[in-house]
Amino acid sequence: MSKVEEFEELRPLLFSIAYRILGSVGEAEDAVQETWLRFDGSATRPTSVKAYLSAVVTRISIDVLRSARVRREEYAGPWLPEPLLSDPYQDPARSVELADSVSMAALLLLERLSPLERAVFVLREVFAFGFDEIAEAVGRSEAACQQLLVRARRHMEAGRPRFAADRQELATRFFDALKEGDVGGLRDLLAADVQLVGDGGGKAPKLANAVVGAENVARVLGTVFPLLIRIDVSFEPHEINGQPGAIFRDRDGKVLHIMALDVLDGQIQTIRGVINPDKIGHIGPVADAWAIDREVKRARRQPN
């Protein structure tokens, strides 16, 4: 098998590692590409290509994350991970771990960890790497990696939700109510302390602050989305980061907005929307959100 074939066989795994460490599709793809360049330029053949490439992509991702954390601290408004429509890496033996770890809720919990803790947690808990491989990847002893994992687990378990099996049926009801502007129907599906969070990054219109509470969130959604539909914005339900969500498009089919739902105990706990054009361009051509915002305001002033 050639170097190219070996690398391409492992590309899904490498991307999945990098994405979970970085929370960014673009940065993960760049990390994978840099991994290839280093592999291609290496004169020696590693004993285990998988272990070698996983270690390289992890080290690159840690370095990228360290610089990215500064940018995220200065980010305009709430920071959310870049939406992922489908995880390229599949492993039936670890399907639960893979699905849980890619949700926006889990990725936001991972943001609380140090870069090293995050890398160790991802490699061990999600992909089941041995501590010898993890130690090589992060440049620490096996004992140190075990301690990093203990700290990471403590942070993650304190806030990690478990998502209900009936979430898809509830999501269908939610999007039906959203389309109809049914405030009461929306309210019935929301947890009392539900949060609506938008990520525009200062580059697209969004809610000024997170909206909290079933009544408030239902009224915002039940007011805004019927106006969007009036100006020919459409949406298609789609799995986002392994959870129910939708892709919103303008009348030309360009991507306007990505919405993801966290469902727990038969209710929607958090609604996250990503409208920052830098974070949704990998999904398709991006709509002009400011122009849509102006149209919505005009539609609000006009009678039905």
Side-chain angles (χ1 to χ4, degrees):
M1 186 182 291
S2 69
K3 263 191 172 183
V4 172
E5 290 170 330
E6 287 180 305
F7 186 84
E8 289 303 320
E9 186 175 272
L10 290 166
R11 180 186 289 273
L13 170 63
L14 302 179
F15 173 86
S16 293
I17 292 171
Y19 177 76
R20 285 164 173 81
I21 294 174
L22 294 167
S24 165
V25 172
E27 289 175 346
E29 289 174 342
D30 289 346
V32 172
Q33 182 59 26
E34 177 62 25
T35 300
W36 159 249
L37 293 175
R38 296 189 188 184
F39 181 47
D40 187 44
S42 174
T44 59
R45 180 179 177 80
T47 304
S48 168
V49 174
K50 176 184 175 182
Y52 170 80
L53 292 177
S54 298
V56 172
V57 81
T58 297
R59 288 194 291 268
I60 292 170
S61 297
I62 289 171
D63 289 343
V64 172
L65 182 59
R66 283 173 172 151
S67 61
R69 288 168 76 90
V70 176
R71 296 195 302 274
R72 291 173 191 178
E73 289 171 0
E74 300 170 349
Y75 193 79
W79 181 91
L80 294 177
E82 286 187 15
L84 184 68
L85 299 189
S86 61
D87 188 351
Y89 179 72
Q90 301 296 322
D91 180 356
R94 302 195 64 76
S95 59
V96 173
E97 292 85 352
L98 289 168
D100 277 356
S101 65
V102 83
S103 72
M104 285 201 174
L107 291 171
L108 288 169
L109 283 175
L110 283 168
E111 283 290 307
R112 302 178 184 180
L113 308 182
S114 72
L116 282 177
E117 289 171 344
R118 185 164 181 163
V120 169
F121 184 88
V122 166
L123 292 177
R124 180 64 178 178
E125 297 294 284
V126 182
F127 297 100
F129 278 70
F131 278 109
D132 56 338
E133 297 171 303
I134 296 170
E136 175 66 22
V138 302
R140 295 291 188 274
S141 68
E142 291 187 36
C145 289
Q146 290 170 352
Q147 288 302 310
L148 286 166
L149 180 63
V150 169
R151 292 201 298 269
R153 279 176 175 164
R154 189 180 304 127
H155 286 296
M156 293 297 289
E157 292 303 325
R160 171 182 283 173
R162 286 290 177 182
F163 302 107
D166 63 351
R167 58 189 181 180
Q168 197 57 58
E169 187 272 336
L170 188 146
T172 298
R173 291 165 55 201
F174 171 83
F175 286 115
D176 286 344
L178 191 66
K179 188 180 296 183
E180 298 298 324
D182 180 359
V183 174
L186 289 166
R187 186 174 52 240
D188 291 344
L189 302 173
L190 304 176
D193 57 350
V194 64
Q195 293 188 55
L196 172 63
V197 183
D199 178 353
K203 299 183 178 183
K206 70 170 186 66
L207 299 171
N209 297 295
V211 181
V212 180
E215 183 66 32
N216 294 332
V217 171
R219 290 197 177 279
V220 168
L221 295 175
T223 299
V224 172
F225 282 92
L227 292 172
L228 288 170
I229 291 171
R230 278 175 58 187
I231 62 171
D232 298 324
V233 170
S234 61
F235 64 86
E236 57 195 69
H238 200 293
E239 189 173 270
I240 306 295
N241 287 75
Q243 300 198 249
I247 303 171
F248 290 76
R249 299 181 185 273
D250 69 6
R251 60 174 59 91
D252 298 319
K254 294 181 178 179
V255 180
L256 170 66
H257 179 81
I258 303 296
M259 179 181 284
L261 308 177
D262 284 351
V263 179
L264 181 65
D265 296 332
Q267 293 182 309
I268 295 171
Q269 304 288 329
T270 310
I271 302 168
R272 296 186 176 90
V274 180
I275 197 169
N276 182 342
D278 294 344
K279 292 189 173 185
I280 57 179
H282 62 281
I283 296 172
V286 177
D288 183 343
W290 295 109
I292 296 292
D293 186 55
R294 291 191 292 270
E295 285 195 68
V296 167
K297 290 175 180 175
R298 285 196 296 270
R300 183 179 283 122
R301 294 192 295 266
Q302 297 170 353
N304 290 330

